[in-house]
Amino acid sequence: MKWETMLLEEDCLRLIDQRKIPQKIEYFKARDYRQVIFAIKEMVVRGAPAIGATAAHGVYLAALEFKKLGGNDFRKEMERALQELAASRPTAVNLTWGIRRMEKAIKENEDLEIEKLLEKLLQESRTIAREDVEINEELGRVGQEIIPNEAGVLTHCNTGALATVGFGTALGVIRAAHAAGKNIKVFVDETRPRLQGARLNAFELLEEGIPATLIVDSTAAVLMQKGEVNVIVVGADRIAGNGDTANKIGTFMLSQLARVFKIPFYIAAPISTIDFDLEGGEDIEIEERDPREITHWQDQPIAPEGVKVFNPAFDVTPAEDITGIITEKGIIRAPFKENLASIAPGGDKD
Ligand code: MRU
């Protein structure tokens, strides 16, 4: 790879601008936490683990900005900044997970002088980023066993290095299978309406030299009917304690097709994407995005003015339709509630 998804610098955060790929590789420089919020909202950066690491560095940038205030004012401003960061996108739980880790680092070091506290926060945001790559590599090692030696693999949205700090989750599993010498053919859903599949997944697969075929989302059924798809692997934005999984809109439909055509359907995600506080998928907040994502194409209308629009960014796949959840601690299968609990921080396998 000739690029990095993000560079956590001492005075800013540089993010590869995912709105511009594949036309251009350009970096967006977030100089303060407000620009970090802008980048998350506008999808300069997207993908659950990438959003988590971005928000964590946003917390560090807020502390850098408010360091002169000291005492109570510092604490008050930080509290407000953390709340604003947490509200930037609602579905991916990694966002609040990243912020909570930084909050913990603030609490543990609150007696230090401000410069020392800042050092600790920079260290923590860099640790979160480094661990993300390590976790994804492990997830790839663990997960590649689900991919047969000769296989058609279908995937949705972008779950690669761009959606994480590096390597990727579902795309990491595919990457690891390819590196292990498996003869795979990847079918890439374009992923309406933001085209993360066409613009980002296809871009990463081509760059890696992994055979990939781009399809419109509605071609998936035909490929399955023809017997071209042996396994489906996708990422996740939030997994409830019972295994119900929120991921990019269209994932639920794929899971239902997989059931009809008896194709194994896997989720690949780090443990930080599991929301152990949520019992089931009905409690996951689903983000609804701007109708213009559907009614317009690069500012040109492609639908009649005034048409009603429903544009949820995610849907929830019920646990019963999931073959397994690939995590850095192994592949979790049904019964999901018990088996996920065993990998929870503080659980049997922690
Ligand atoms: O709206 P996005 O592009 O942030 O949605 C991303 C997805 O749904 C991904 O599949 C998910 O975050 C997993 S990324 C490793």
Side-chain angles (χ1 to χ4, degrees):
M1 257 162 9
K2 300 170 211 76
W3 43 266
E4 303 260 7
T5 306
M6 60 185 74
L7 298 157
L8 313 181
E9 295 180 359
E10 276 174 35
D11 61 343
C12 72
L13 171 62
R14 273 178 214 277
L15 296 163
I16 194 164
D17 193 335
Q18 301 195 28
R19 300 167 304 177
K20 308 219 164 122
I21 298 173
Q23 292 95 333
K24 274 189 223 160
I25 300 282
E26 214 171 81
Y27 281 81
F28 174 92
K29 189 171 177 183
R31 291 167 208 276
D32 59 30
Y33 84 91
R34 287 171 214 85
Q35 288 175 352
V36 169
I37 292 173
F38 171 87
I40 295 173
K41 280 192 172 159
E42 295 301 316
M43 296 173 74
V44 171
V45 61
R46 29 67 50 205
I51 291 173
T54 297
H57 202 67
V59 173
Y60 160 73
L61 290 178
L64 190 66
E65 178 177 341
F66 299 131
K67 71 174 182 181
K68 287 196 203 83
L69 298 176
N72 254 350
D73 287 346
F74 174 78
R75 267 191 289 278
K76 251 200 264 163
E77 287 303 315
M78 284 302 287
E79 211 173 289
R80 203 174 44 76
L82 263 57
Q83 272 170 14
E84 283 174 32
L85 275 163
S88 53
R89 279 191 85 185
T91 305
V93 72
N94 304 63
L95 174 69
T96 38
W97 173 89
I99 294 171
R100 280 207 200 119
R101 255 186 79 163
M102 295 299 282
E103 221 173 353
K104 188 162 170 268
I106 297 174
K107 289 218 173 82
E108 283 170 0
N109 296 291
E110 66 188 353
D111 297 333
L112 295 181
E113 275 173 27
I114 187 72
E115 291 302 336
K116 286 266 176 283
L117 172 64
L118 282 168
E119 258 172 48
K120 293 277 183 197
L121 294 183
L122 180 59
Q123 220 174 57
E124 183 66 357
S125 90
R126 287 178 171 168
T127 303
I128 289 172
R130 195 194 62 240
E131 286 175 359
D132 182 69
V133 182
E134 290 165 3
I135 286 169
N136 293 333
E137 285 170 353
E138 185 56 24
L139 219 138
R141 262 193 297 278
V142 168
Q144 62 95 7
E145 74 170 51
I146 63 138
I147 300 193
N149 282 334
E150 304 271 332
V153 185
L154 180 74
T155 191
H156 192 63
C157 198
N158 168 261
T159 55
L162 289 164
T164 58
V165 182
F167 201 73
T169 57
L171 200 59
V173 168
I174 292 171
R175 214 187 278 276
H178 176 74
K182 296 187 181 182
N183 186 14
I184 53 174
K185 202 156 74 177
V186 184
F187 295 106
V188 183
D189 273 359
E190 64 170 348
T191 317
R192 286 278 295 153
R194 297 288 298 224
L195 303 175
Q196 290 94 329
R199 295 189 301 103
L200 310 175
N201 240 18
F203 167 77
E204 287 199 46
L205 283 160
L206 248 63
E207 210 176 48
E208 291 283 308
I210 303 174
T213 304
L214 179 64
I215 58 168
V216 298
D217 301 337
S218 40
T219 300
V222 173
L223 283 176
M224 292 187 209
Q225 190 186 41
K226 284 175 179 286
E228 300 255 356
V229 180
N230 305 100
V231 59
I232 300 171
V233 56
V234 298
D237 288 85
R238 189 182 298 235
I239 301 171
N242 69 348
D244 292 350
T245 296
N247 189 49
K248 180 51 58 195
I249 189 76
T251 303
F252 171 49
M253 192 163 68
L254 286 180
S255 75
Q256 300 309 295
L257 287 171
R259 192 153 54 102
V260 170
F261 291 104
K262 302 192 174 33
I263 296 167
F265 182 88
Y266 285 92
I267 301 289
I271 293 172
S272 55
T273 303
I274 306 170
D275 187 345
F276 293 98
D277 294 336
L278 284 193
E279 267 183 42
E282 61 285 356
D283 298 326
I284 300 176
E285 188 183 342
I286 300 294
E287 174 184 17
E288 267 194 56
R289 293 192 60 89
D290 191 341
R292 284 178 70 91
E293 288 185 350
I294 302 184
T295 57
H296 286 68
W297 175 246
Q298 293 179 337
D299 285 334
Q300 294 299 313
I302 52 167
E305 207 184 321
V307 69
K308 204 169 147 198
V309 165
F310 176 47
N311 185 22
F314 305 98
D315 56 29
V316 177
T317 299
E320 67 204 44
D321 296 323
I322 296 171
T323 311
I325 300 176
I326 303 161
T327 74
E328 66 271 29
K329 293 246 173 89
I331 304 177
I332 308 301
R333 297 177 194 270
F336 285 106
K337 192 169 169 203
E338 291 76 359
N339 294 341
L340 284 175
S342 76
I343 57 161
D348 301 351
K349 292 195 188 149
D350 187 39

